[in-house]
Every structure is written in structure tokens, then in C-alpha cells.
Amino acid sequence: MSEEIGLPAQARVVIVGGGIAGLSVAYHLAKLGWRDVLLLERHKLTSGTTWHAAGLVGQLRATHNLTRLAKYTAELFARLETETGVATGFRQRGSLAVAATEGRWIELKRGASMARHFGLEAQLMTPTEARNAWPLLNVDDLVGGLFIPKDGQTNPVDTAMALARGARNGGARIVEGVRVTGIASRNGTATGVRTSHGDVAAEIVVNCAGLWGHAVGRMAGVTIPLHAAEHFYVVTEPIAGLSPDTPVLRDPDGANYFKEDAGKLLVGWFEPVARPWDERAAPDDFAFGTLPVDMDHIQPQLEKAAARVPRFGEAGIRTFFNGPESFTPDDRYLLGEAPELRNFFVACGFNSIGIQSSGGAGMVLAQWIVDGHPPMDLWDVDIRRVMPFQANRAYLRDRTGETLGLLYAMHWPYRQVETARDARRSPLHDRLAVLGACFGETAGWERANWFAPPGEDAVYAYSYGRQNWHDASSAEHRAARQAVALFDQTSFAKFLVQGRDAERVLNRICANDVAVAPGKVVYTQWLNARGGIEADLTVTRLDATRFLVVTSAVCQTRDLAWLTRHIPEDAHCGVTDVTSGMAVLGVMGPNARPLLSQVSPGDFSNDAFPFMTSREIDLGYARVRASRVTYVGTLGWELYIPAEFAAHVFDTLFDSGEAFGLKLAGYHALNSLRLECGYRHFGHDITDETTPLEAGLGFAVAFDKPGGFIGREALAAQRGSPLTRRLVSVVLDDPEPLLLHDEPLWRDGERVGITSSGMFGHTVDRSVGLGYVHNSAGVDAAWLASGRWEVEIACERLSCRVSLKAPVDTKAVRG
Ligand SMILES: Cc1cc2nc3c(=O)[nH]c(=O)nc-3n(C[C@H](O)[C@H](O)[C@H](O)COP(=O)(O)OP(=O)(O)OC[C@H]3O[C@@H](n4cnc5c(N)ncnc54)[C@H](O)[C@@H]3O)c2cc1C
């Protein structure tokens, strides 16, 4: 025991950081009955960022799972005071978001549709109704508003203290004035912390260090991509007539929010270009700290706020506030067990919504710690989405200048970030750029999303309707269906699994049977013990002891961690991430066969090169691996090319392609093609919360293979009973509206599901999607066929067809 402070030598869980996130994790662990929980705070509770939050508690988030978590926070805060006896200041006065443009109005209406699906009350308002709800509002330029009556506001410090009381009541220990200076680990597992007051051994360490989370991650060798930015608000002098019942007002088009605060207005903002702040420049004892206010920086926001609420412009300003908050490269927080270190958990990077996220994030993280797995699909915020390069400070600083503003910017479909780009490029990047590629960013990779026709700019013009790339992407799509399209798919993550036990190890992890002959490609899922899908990928057997695992770019970290963690210690089996060494070109379409036959002496006939087989071929002067697979539902091959030969192979194909109608194609076309064929995408259509049976992937499960596989028992149990939840294909009747994701599905006037992804399908000439529907008596073809189906887009219900079968039959087109 440390003498001055009474620090125990060990605890079951050590939480680093006494802000609202750490306190919520402690509270929820205590609720779950874990008593031996120690929270260490280097200074005083809430002294980091929590103490100065504005205290808005909104519930509508960008995706349905994040909305579920924020909704839980509001429910928790509503009962916390009664439960703990500590006043929280939480009030449910509602929130009003207003739209000054048609695009924003659609965004709000789409949000309302999703909110209602989860039982969140959401009322659309005309500008006049909005002014009735918020009398000081200037509605002259408004199109409409969205009112969420159960949204709240709270006093962040009091709420954090109520969580602390709840945690203590449940047995947790909270110690202030102790700084964590190191993370102890053994054999890839966290074993405790080093502190300013001695070492504490622990089974579990949780990083809740707010904007210092990056530094605490470094102590553990864990990538925590977050960076602080300056974040502002002002508080006015008292404003006569401002009712204490005034709801929170958000004016995203002006990037401002307004909160009634004891007769004054607190006005904060999310300016388009923010000021990153390097916490390393701050003194070690930075606590309850503020930053200088640069009037030139905030003046444009003050003017916009005065235009929206003229009385604000007339009121004097009592407080100018600037405090730091942490932001992540994709504006989503970081949650879960770190892929680099077992038993090291993370809850940080809250992007200015840490108060409203704290309840839900703390609840699911505590359950994750106790159960050893997340209680629901948390992929949106899962730390395993992170790439190692994202620890780079220069990258983080530059991106942070943009991400703060993106919180209130238009969330256009397909919107791409603009900062810290061009870092991770395929060897073909420059060739594609010259040929008109418009790049998007996924997992840091620059990927061609579409190709601008000659003479047109490869630049997005965003809207909720058909965007400027619609026709170009349509031509790429048609090339894949009718001629041949060339996709740069280098961003695939690729792992070489090798060793005498590789087959045995992989066959335990894979639901499908990979004990196949060399040269076979196997499509498979990796399941958890509950039968949920952890990964969706292909395994190619190269020879007796070597396998190539190929998965999507965003799953590189996640799948590698899952794989390496499931290799038994005594197994002769190693994994090498060979992503960077190989480029991938997809040659897809009916003319793929004649084109490849022209550039390669290989035999590409159906008999010689059947579907789901793979072999090395000569192509031009290179030697590449060709795998006959498809994610677009046409005849085609993926070519795995040593990176230094990528340009040569590309040139060879491109130069010969014209005679076969070859077109370069991007990821928008790929998405459109795969959705028409009902091919699932991990993270959207399949997650760890869905089983292969629910997802219609039972064909890829080898129930009877010797030795079984992880998840088999759970899956076998589900096989016996009707499926109450299933993935379906959705096709809109009206060719105009666009499906994106999270659109509610209605059957005979009842809300029964929600889409998971959607896009315009150029073969069927209308929007197509995938989504999950529920029926307690079971979802089957007859139930689907007997209903009248509608999909709700922006609060409007549109007729659609729903089926277990995809609109484009791939059996006929795979060649
Ligand atoms: C101006 C402003 C307005 C905001 N308004 C809102 C709002 O209206 N609604 C909303 O939801 N969110 C809002 N936020 C965001 C919110 O305040 C944060 O997301 C939230 O407080 C983050 O909580 P945290 O626990 O992750 O971090 P913090 O509160 O910073 O807690 C982290 C703690 O870890 C401690 N720590 C760090 N390193 C160590 C170490 N090595 N050892 C021990 N302890 C350590 C720190 O001292 C700190 O107390 C706002 C933020 C700002 C700046």
C-alpha cells in the first residue's frame, strides 16, 4: 500500500481517468456486481474536459446503434438523481434542430424516421411551429425543424458526481491525485498500472483518460487516434423573458447551438475549421484548465448566432469560454478491448458528445468487460477499426481541424473527408488519378470511388438526390455486367497463414470447411461462441501448409487480432500481414475471360478454371495469383499481384482492354453491383449480432465438418427453430428515391425492420438495399410474400418489394 494515499496493491479493474466516461464505466461495473474496481484520477474528478461541457444530452445519432446508446444515456440520467440522491441538474426540455436548406431538411427527416424506429419521439415542425417552440428564433430562412421532446440537458459535473456516488455505493474505489505513468503487461496481456504512488496489479485496465487517452495508449503500445481541439462557447448576460423551459436549439447550418442556462443563453458552436490543440504543450498539472479566446476566430460564429437568434446579438456576453476536447479521425468514439493488448480496454475520444454518450458507452463497455464480449453490435465505435498509422500525430492534428466542424456540417451521403488525405495509396493511385479517378477514403486508403469522364472534374457535388457521379458510375456498373470492368481492390487486407497446423487452426475458426485441395477458394465467416459473425472473408488454400486470408480494408486490424488470438499457443501456425506487399485488380464481367486470355497464356475456360479456384498465372511479364471469385455477381477474377508488378499488370490489361469494352470502375459501382446480388458487407449487413442463418449465409456453414468450429453449437440450436429475424433484399418500386441505410421497413402498416445498406442498382434501374425484418412467428418467404411492403425515407413511406432472393441472380451471370 502506498502510505500517503492508501492505494491498494491490486484491484480487479483499474480505470484510468475520473471524467464522466471513467465514472460511468465504474458505475456500470458496480451495477453488474464487480466490487473490486479502482478508479485513478491524476487530479480531481471532472477536472479534464467534463467540468466545462455545455451539458446537451441529445439522442439522435448518425446510426441506429449510436442512437440506441445515446437514448440509454438519457434514460439513465432521468433516474440517476432518484437512485443516488445526488442532484444532476438533468432536465428533459427537449431539443429543436432547425433546417435552413432543403438538404438539411431531408437530413433531419431521415433522422426522424430512424429515431421513431427506436421508439424515440420525434416531431417535424413548420417554421412557425418552430418559432412557437422557441420564441426568440428567427425563422425567416428556415425550411423546418425537428423536435425531440425527450432530449435533455444536464449539469455535467453534478451528473458525473452522481455516477461517482452510484459507483461508490456499489463498492468501487475512487482515488484522486494519483497519476498513471505506465501500463504493465505480460505475454500481450495488461497486468496492471504504474502510478505516481506505486504499482497496482490488475486483471483489467481501462483507458478513460479523455484527451490524454492517446498518451495512455502509448504507455501500453496501443493506438488511440485522438487529438484535442479548442472548443468554445459563450454565456450571455440574463435575457428577459427567456423561459426556463426553453428547449435546446441546434442550428447546424449556422454551426451553432443554444441552451437556456439560468436565464442566460449559453451559445456554442462547431466552426468549419477548428483549432487543434496539442495537450503535450500544456503543463503537467493542467486541470480545470481553460485556453485563451481568439476573437478573430470566433467572430464569424457570433454573427451567425445573432442572425439566428437576434436577441443574442443584443445581449451582453458575460463569459467567453475555450476548453480542449478530443476528436477522432472519423468523429466516432473509441470503445472496446485494444487489439494490441488483451484486457486493456478503451473508452475515449468522445468528439464533444461525451456527456450524452457516457451512459451508453459505460454500460456496454462494462458488459463487455464482465462478459468478455460486446453486448451488441458496436462496430461503429469499436477500437478495432483503427489502423496503426492513425497514431501519427501530424495526421491527427491535420484531421482534427476538420472533424470538429463535421459534427454540424451536412452529413451528405458519400461525403469524404478533405484533410490528412493521400497518405495510404495503392501503387496504381497515380495512374488512376490521371485517368479521372475521384478518390474516397476508407481505412486511410485512397480508393477510386468513380471515374469522371474526360473533360469533367473528378469532384463530388453532394446532394440527397442523384449526385454528379451517377451516370459515370452507371457506365462502370454496366461495363461489369455487359463487358468488363477493372477495379483496383488493393485495399483488401491479406494475411498469410502458414504452418503444419494451419489447416487445423483455420478450420476451427472458419464456419466453412477449409480442409480443401490446394487452389480452392472458400468463402466463410468467423463466428463467436454465440454464432454471431465476427468476420466475413475468403480463405484460399495455397498448398499443404499455407493459406491466404483476404478480408475488407476496414477489417484489417479486427480480423488480424481475431485470428492471432485464436491460434493455440502450442500450434505450429503463424500469421503474416501481407497487405502492403500485394496489389489487387478485379477483372470483372463477361469479357474478363477473353481479355485475360489475350494477356496471359493461362486457360480461363470454365472447366480449366472453375468458380472459387485460384492459381498462379503469367500475365504480361509478371507472375500473379488469379482467383476466380466475385463480389459483383459476374464472371471475373481477382488478381493478386506483387506490389512492384502492379503498374505493369495494370498497363497490360488496360492497353488490351479497349477491344473488350474495358472500363475502369470504382467502389460506388462495386457497391451497386454487390447489392443487386445481395452480397453482404461486414459492419453493415452482417455484424457480431447476426448469425449466418439470419443473414442468409447458411450455405457457407459446414455444420458437419470434423472437429466443428467456434459458434457451431449456438448455430445448431438456432437451426432447429423458426428465424424471427432475417436479412432481406429490398427493391424500391419508384425509380427516383435513393436508399442509403437505416430506413425503416413497414409491412402492412407496421414497422418491422430497417435497412442496413442501400444504393442505386443500375441493372434493375432503381434503388436496392439489404435490411433486417422481424416477426415473432418467424420470417419466411410466405410471410414476406403475403405482406404489403413499404420503406420509409425521410418520413415518407414508399412501396417496395422485399424478398429473401436478391434481384439479380448470380447463378446465371457468374459464367
Ligand atoms: C466547450 C465544450 C462543450 C461541450 N459540450 C458538450 C455537450 O453539450 N454535450 C456532450 O455530450 N459533451 C459535451 N462536451 C464534450 C464532453 O465534455 C467530453 O466529451 C467529455 O467530458 C469527455 O469525458 P472523458 O471522461 O472522456 O474525459 P475527461 O473529462 O477529460 O476525463 C479524463 C480524465 O482523465 C484524467 N487523466 C488523464 N490522464 C491521466 C493519467 N495518466 N492518470 C490518471 N488520470 C488521468 C484527467 O485528469 C481527466 O480528469 C463538451 C466539451 C467542450 C470542451
Side-chain angles (χ1 to χ4, degrees), residues 478-516:
R478 286 175 206 288
R481 288 269 186 264
Q482 293 158 13
V484 57
L486 190 58
F487 297 87
D488 180 5
Q489 294 172 282
T490 299
S491 65
F492 274 146
K494 308 133 204 141
F495 313 130
L496 186 62
V497 184
Q498 49 189 337
R500 284 192 304 277
D501 296 325
E503 177 191 299
R504 180 171 62 84
V505 168
L506 277 174
N507 234 6
R508 180 80 196 135
I509 299 172
C510 296
N512 211 341
D513 192 355
V514 298
V516 291

Side-chain angles (χ1 to χ4, degrees), residues 377 523-528 530-537 558 562 680 682-683 685-697 715 772:
D377 165 30
Y523 172 56
T524 186
Q525 283 73 47
W526 294 349
L527 308 183
N528 55 44
R530 303 167 311 287
I533 299 173
E534 292 287 342
D536 178 70
L537 40 79
R558 177 190 179 111
W562 185 268
R680 284 74 170 133
F682 184 86
D685 314 312
I686 44 180
T687 70
D688 55 5
E689 236 185 324
T690 49
T691 70
L693 300 180
E694 293 164 340
L697 296 172
L715 217 52
Y772 280 92

Side-chain angles (χ1 to χ4, degrees), residues 16-23 40-57 156 178-181 208-213 216 219 229 231-233 257 286-287 321-326 347-357:
V16 186
I20 198 151
L23 290 165
L40 300 177
E41 163 57 43
R42 81 195 159 109
H43 197 271
K44 294 275 180 214
L45 295 185
T46 75
S47 63
T49 300
T50 297
W51 71 279
H52 56 60
L56 275 53
V57 183
V178 174
R179 176 188 296 273
V180 169
T181 54
C208 296
L211 58 90
W212 297 272
V216 172
M219 295 174 194
H231 199 25
F232 304 85
Y233 57 71
Y257 63 86
F286 185 87
F321 183 84
N322 178 11
E325 160 68 337
S326 59
C348 48
F350 280 102
N351 300 292
S352 82
I353 54 160
I355 307 301
Q356 70 184 38
S357 307

Side-chain angles (χ1 to χ4, degrees), residues 39 170 183 201 215 255 295 320 323 358 404 483 595 624 651 716 744 748 780 787 799:
L39 183 147
I183 307 295
M295 285 309 290
F320 289 89
S358 62
L404 180 142
L595 170 58
V624 309
D651 291 347
D748 293 340
D780 58 19
S799 65

Side-chain angles (χ1 to χ4, degrees), residues 288-375:
F288 298 112
T290 60
L291 306 174
V293 175
D294 174 353
M295 285 309 290
D296 287 345
H297 183 70
I298 72 173
Q299 191 60 35
Q301 286 307 131
L302 297 179
E303 284 164 18
K304 283 186 194 158
R308 181 58 61 218
V309 178
R311 287 283 291 283
F312 166 73
E314 295 154 16
I317 291 181
R318 178 176 282 188
T319 309
F320 289 89
F321 183 84
N322 178 11
E325 160 68 337
S326 59
F327 291 84
T328 62
D330 61 4
D331 263 338
R332 286 181 273 133
Y333 49 89
L334 303 166
L335 205 70
E337 190 182 21
E340 300 97 330
L341 189 61
R342 279 177 203 260
N343 292 357
F344 185 81
F345 285 80
V346 176
C348 48
F350 280 102
N351 300 292
S352 82
I353 54 160
I355 307 301
Q356 70 184 38
S357 307
S358 62
M363 181 263 290
V364 290
L365 194 72
Q367 286 188 20
W368 193 334
I369 290 169
V370 169
D371 298 339
H373 59 80

Side-chain angles (χ1 to χ4, degrees), residues 512-691:
N512 211 341
D513 192 355
V514 298
V516 291
K520 276 289 290 170
V521 184
V522 178
Y523 172 56
T524 186
Q525 283 73 47
W526 294 349
L527 308 183
N528 55 44
R530 303 167 311 287
I533 299 173
E534 292 287 342
D536 178 70
L537 40 79
T538 60
V539 178
T540 301
R541 181 161 211 159
L542 304 180
D543 57 34
T545 58
R546 292 187 313 135
F547 295 80
L548 180 67
V549 173
V550 178
T551 188
S552 66
V554 287
C555 291
Q556 182 174 359
T557 304
R558 177 190 179 111
D559 293 356
L560 187 60
W562 185 268
L563 181 56
T564 49
R565 286 182 180 198
H566 284 86
I567 299 178
E569 256 181 39
D570 59 353
H572 186 262
C573 177
V575 183
T576 313
D577 185 337
V578 294
T579 303
S580 304
M582 260 187 249
V584 182
L585 281 171
V587 187
M588 296 291 155
N591 290 349
R593 183 171 282 138
L595 170 58
L596 285 172
S597 302
Q598 177 144 327
V599 295
S600 167
D603 182 350
F604 296 92
S605 68
N606 213 26
D607 290 342
F609 210 143
F611 188 55
M612 298 305 271
T613 62
S614 174
R615 70 173 60 140
E616 290 199 329
I617 60 167
D618 289 343
L619 198 160
Y621 302 136
R623 187 118 183 104
V624 309
R625 170 164 292 279
S627 295
R628 186 163 161 215
V629 293
T630 179
Y631 191 51
V632 296
T634 66
L635 173 73
W637 279 263
E638 283 172 4
L639 305 175
Y640 292 81
I641 311 158
E644 69 272 35
F645 288 97
H648 169 73
V649 170
F650 177 86
D651 291 347
T652 307
L653 286 163
F654 193 72
D655 292 347
S656 304
E658 202 180 344
F660 302 96
L662 179 128
K663 257 187 125 30
L664 296 177
Y667 273 80
H668 289 336
L670 189 89
N671 202 32
S672 160
L673 289 156
R674 70 102 187 165
L675 273 166
E676 285 184 338
C677 307
Y679 292 156
R680 284 74 170 133
H681 184 253
F682 184 86
H684 295 112
D685 314 312
I686 44 180
T687 70
D688 55 5
E689 236 185 324
T690 49
T691 70

Side-chain angles (χ1 to χ4, degrees), residues 63-342:
T63 65
H64 62 269
N65 280 329
L66 294 186
T67 303
R68 266 161 89 182
L69 295 186
K71 185 164 175 272
Y72 169 82
T73 302
E75 289 159 4
L76 170 70
F77 288 0
R79 61 171 193 264
L80 199 56
E81 183 166 333
T82 314
E83 183 193 312
T84 61
V86 177
T88 58
F90 183 64
R91 304 281 175 271
Q92 281 174 301
R93 297 173 182 163
S95 80
L96 172 67
V98 293
T101 61
E102 284 298 334
R104 183 71 70 178
W105 184 222
I106 295 174
E107 181 180 306
L108 291 185
K109 287 192 289 184
R110 291 188 76 101
S113 289
M114 186 180 68
R116 289 177 187 150
H117 182 72
F118 291 98
L120 197 62
E121 209 184 317
Q123 300 167 10
L124 296 179
M125 288 183 166
T126 62
T128 309
E129 287 166 336
R131 188 171 37 217
N132 291 341
W134 225 94
L136 303 185
L137 181 65
N138 171 13
V139 297
D140 289 354
D141 58 339
L142 292 188
V143 188
L146 171 65
F147 184 62
I148 303 199
K150 288 281 160 45
D151 270 3
Q153 58 194 68
T154 201
N155 181 327
V157 173
D158 294 347
T159 307
M161 291 308 177
L163 288 168
R165 170 75 63 83
R168 284 187 173 115
N169 288 347
R173 251 188 99 183
I174 295 174
V175 182
E176 297 178 312
V178 174
R179 176 188 296 273
V180 169
T181 54
I183 307 295
S185 65
R186 204 171 31 250
N187 296 336
T189 304
T191 55
V193 295
R194 285 187 264 285
T195 83
S196 51
H197 292 70
D199 294 352
V200 183
E203 286 173 30
I204 308 274
V205 177
V206 192
N207 177 0
C208 296
L211 58 90
W212 297 272
H214 181 87
V216 172
R218 286 212 162 180
M219 295 174 194
V222 167
T223 303
I224 310 279
L226 58 81
H227 194 288
E230 300 183 16
H231 199 25
F232 304 85
Y233 57 71
V234 295
V235 183
T236 64
E237 299 289 354
I239 294 182
L242 188 61
S243 161
D245 293 330
T246 305
V248 162
L249 171 68
R250 290 189 183 82
D251 174 22
D253 296 311
N256 289 312
Y257 63 86
F258 303 75
K259 182 187 109 164
E260 189 279 336
D261 195 39
K264 302 172 266 247
L265 267 184
L266 182 156
V267 182
W269 51 88
F270 290 84
E271 69 275 27
V273 181
R275 289 159 59 115
W277 182 74
D278 191 339
E279 84 284 353
R280 294 170 305 177
D284 257 8
D285 59 354
F286 185 87
F288 298 112
T290 60
L291 306 174
V293 175
D294 174 353
M295 285 309 290
D296 287 345
H297 183 70
I298 72 173
Q299 191 60 35
Q301 286 307 131
L302 297 179
E303 284 164 18
K304 283 186 194 158
R308 181 58 61 218
V309 178
R311 287 283 291 283
F312 166 73
E314 295 154 16
I317 291 181
R318 178 176 282 188
T319 309
F320 289 89
F321 183 84
N322 178 11
E325 160 68 337
S326 59
F327 291 84
T328 62
D330 61 4
D331 263 338
R332 286 181 273 133
Y333 49 89
L334 303 166
L335 205 70
E337 190 182 21
E340 300 97 330
L341 189 61
R342 279 177 203 260

